[in-house]
Amino acid sequence: MNFGITGKHLSRMTPTEILNKYSLISDQVTKDEVGLILKYLQISLNNSKGNVIEMGCYAGTTSLMIQRLLRSNKYSDVEFHVYDSFEGLPEKNKQDQSPAGTQFQKGQLKYSKKQFIENFKKHELPIPRIHKNWFSELNDNDMPSNIIFAFLDGDYYDSIAQSLRLIEKKMSPNGYILIDDYQSEQLPGAKKATDEWLSNNEHFYLKKVENSIAIIRDGREDY
């Protein structure tokens, strides 16, 4: 598996140790949110063998932390894929309209693929497999098989709906999907898309919501 650079050796670290040692590189996610992401990533890695994806990576704040957990625990057989247009936010549709979210406009949160890669080089970490596309341009062949953990941070209704459709047949039994902004007043489309998808996919269920992140489990092995 070619990550682009070898990456320095990291000693074995828990999610809490990673969170305490490394600073966040942007203000688009909090430490509590990153801690939750790493917690369920570790649970997924303990439960199953498979691959990890992040849809909507911006500057790579969570991507760096995910890679640190994978590297420090020597999960060399895990493929880590990230997906982003690197063009900022797309247009809203009616599902995303909210008086509390007027600050979110087309083109905001733009961050180049080159800058994203430089952040990994700066921190001497292997570069994940990067897919530069709008989510609407992706298809099944762009997704790895046997996904054990997916973090979806698409902000808007269409982006979350498209992400869920892409991964629903690729998820590993007992895998976890974490969806950011599920309880965000500013970004109501994320919850609408998630709830609609859950109503049509009975073996996935909402385990809990914490720090506005929906934690969804693939429960096929529960039946």
Side-chain angles (χ1 to χ4, degrees):
M1 183 162 42
N2 180 16
F3 290 104
I5 60 174
T6 303
K8 64 180 180 181
H9 172 74
L10 297 177
S11 59
R12 186 177 180 87
M13 300 177 73
T14 66
T16 300
E17 289 169 339
I18 290 171
L19 199 62
N20 289 338
K21 182 173 181 177
Y22 298 102
S23 299
L24 307 184
I25 65 168
S26 79
D27 61 1
Q28 293 302 304
V29 64
T30 68
K31 273 204 165 187
D32 286 343
E33 291 168 337
V34 174
L36 193 67
I37 292 163
L38 294 181
K39 173 185 173 180
Y40 279 94
L41 172 60
Q42 186 68 75
I43 290 171
S44 300
L45 292 165
N46 290 344
N47 288 344
S48 307
K49 290 185 178 180
N51 300 308
V52 173
I53 70 164
E54 180 180 10
M55 300 194 72
C57 55
Y58 185 50
T61 308
T62 53
S63 311
L64 291 167
M65 295 295 195
I66 288 170
Q67 192 68 291
R68 287 182 179 115
L69 183 60
L70 295 176
R71 289 288 294 177
S72 71
N73 289 274
K74 298 182 180 179
Y75 290 108
S76 58
D77 56 341
V78 175
E79 293 182 10
F80 178 29
H81 294 247
V82 299
Y83 302 79
D84 204 291
S85 69
F86 297 100
E87 298 292 339
L89 293 173
E91 289 278 8
K92 290 181 179 179
N93 69 20
K94 64 180 181 179
Q95 307 277 12
D96 302 303
Q97 299 301 326
S98 167
T102 56
Q103 72 272 31
F104 295 101
Q105 300 294 328
K106 182 181 179 181
Q108 284 191 319
L109 303 179
K110 183 175 182 179
Y111 203 88
S112 74
K113 178 180 175 181
K114 180 179 179 181
Q115 290 173 293
F116 178 88
I117 291 171
E118 286 301 318
N119 286 335
F120 273 80
K121 290 181 177 179
K122 177 181 176 181
H123 291 90
E124 300 182 65
L125 285 167
I127 300 164
R129 297 191 179 188
I130 302 171
H131 304 258
K132 184 181 183 299
N133 288 97
W134 294 105
F135 297 165
S136 60
E137 298 172 340
L138 297 169
N139 59 52
D140 288 349
N141 293 329
D142 296 306
M143 314 304 295
S145 60
N146 197 30
I147 298 170
I148 59 171
F149 181 84
F151 176 52
L152 310 186
D153 190 12
D155 299 315
Y156 290 172
Y157 177 90
D158 283 342
S159 296
I160 295 298
Q162 289 156 357
S163 299
L164 288 166
R165 284 195 296 269
L166 284 164
I167 68 173
E168 63 187 13
K169 294 180 181 178
K170 299 281 189 169
M171 290 298 300
S172 170
N174 288 326
Y176 278 93
I177 303 170
L178 269 61
I179 301 178
D180 198 23
D181 300 310
Y182 181 78
Q183 286 185 330
S184 170
E185 185 180 358
Q186 294 90 352
L187 298 166
K191 184 178 189 301
K192 292 174 184 176
T194 302
D195 290 349
E196 287 179 11
W197 181 80
L198 284 170
S199 69
N200 293 314
N201 291 271
E202 293 182 351
H203 62 269
F204 291 93
Y205 64 91
L206 181 62
K207 182 179 176 72
K208 64 187 295 188
V209 180
E210 190 174 338
N211 296 316
S212 196
I213 295 177
I215 301 161
I216 295 169
R217 185 167 179 267
D218 183 336
R220 279 173 287 178
E221 291 193 350
D222 294 346
Y223 297 97

